[in-house]
Amino acid sequence: MEITLQKSIGFKINKVANNLNSLFNQILLPFDIAIEQRVTLEIISQEKEATLTKISNTLSKDKTTISRTLRTLEKKELIKKVLSNDDKRVSFIILTKKGEETLKASQNITHKFRESLVSKLDEKEMDTFFKLLNKVDEGVRNYE
């Protein structure tokens, strides 16, 4: 069986992700943050000792990309870096008051958006969907 571009799993996942990101970025415009920034703030708020490496691993993105996002968030005064007391080579990333307020202010619209996506699927479909995505992800990670 020949797999055309339109039948390619990677193409379809990327197309859906682009549509999702574009829409969510529009929704987040009033908060002056993009989806990548919002997700990063959320990770920082949930992580006890957030570092560049932890955020990079959580998002499966390279450190250069995450560094760029963190610089932008720092310029917007939404985060700040604090040197570790134990190891001066390590910086922890924490939310500023403004970062906490931005995360909280965008929480309801984020929840509503996420709910609207899953509302199209029942619990069994959601379970199947995530199992399939995990299989694709495993295939990507184990590609030779």
Side-chain angles (χ1 to χ4, degrees):
M1 172 175 83
E2 181 184 343
I3 299 177
T4 63
L5 181 62
Q6 286 73 18
K7 295 282 182 177
S8 164
I9 290 173
F11 177 79
K12 188 63 173 179
I13 288 172
N14 192 53
K15 186 174 179 182
V16 171
N18 286 341
N19 289 337
L20 189 147
N21 289 342
S22 179
L23 176 58
F24 199 38
N25 278 330
Q26 288 296 315
I27 290 169
L28 290 173
L29 274 176
F31 306 99
D32 190 33
I33 55 172
I35 185 171
E36 187 80 15
Q37 296 166 4
R38 174 66 171 70
V39 168
T40 303
L41 292 175
E42 199 168 337
I43 291 168
I44 294 167
S45 76
Q46 295 171 356
E47 195 62 53
K48 187 168 177 77
E49 293 182 330
T51 62
L52 169 67
T53 301
K54 283 183 181 180
I55 297 167
S56 176
N57 290 340
T58 301
L59 293 174
S60 295
K61 294 213 173 195
D62 62 89
K63 290 180 182 179
T64 304
T65 301
I66 300 305
S67 287
R68 217 174 304 126
T69 300
L70 293 175
R71 274 194 307 276
T72 301
L73 290 171
E74 219 170 2
K75 286 178 186 173
K76 292 181 177 187
E77 300 178 345
L78 300 175
I79 64 161
K80 65 180 176 180
K81 295 177 184 171
V82 178
L83 285 177
S84 167
N85 291 328
D86 301 328
D87 185 347
K88 297 300 177 196
R89 297 169 296 174
V90 177
S91 290
F92 297 117
I93 300 145
I94 61 172
L95 297 178
T96 62
K97 183 77 172 159
K98 183 178 176 183
E100 289 173 1
E101 290 168 357
T102 299
L103 193 59
K104 187 175 180 179
S106 62
Q107 189 170 342
N108 285 340
I109 195 78
T110 298
H111 182 73
K112 183 179 173 185
F113 180 70
R114 290 175 180 167
E115 285 288 320
S116 76
L117 293 176
V118 299
S119 71
K120 309 289 187 235
L121 306 171
D122 63 36
E123 194 172 329
K124 186 176 178 184
E125 289 171 324
M126 281 294 295
D127 187 48
T128 301
F129 178 70
F130 281 108
K131 282 180 183 175
L132 292 172
L133 278 178
N134 287 335
K135 278 187 173 185
V136 171
D137 187 39
E138 184 180 329
V140 169
R141 285 184 280 113
N142 296 324
Y143 181 77
E144 296 177 8

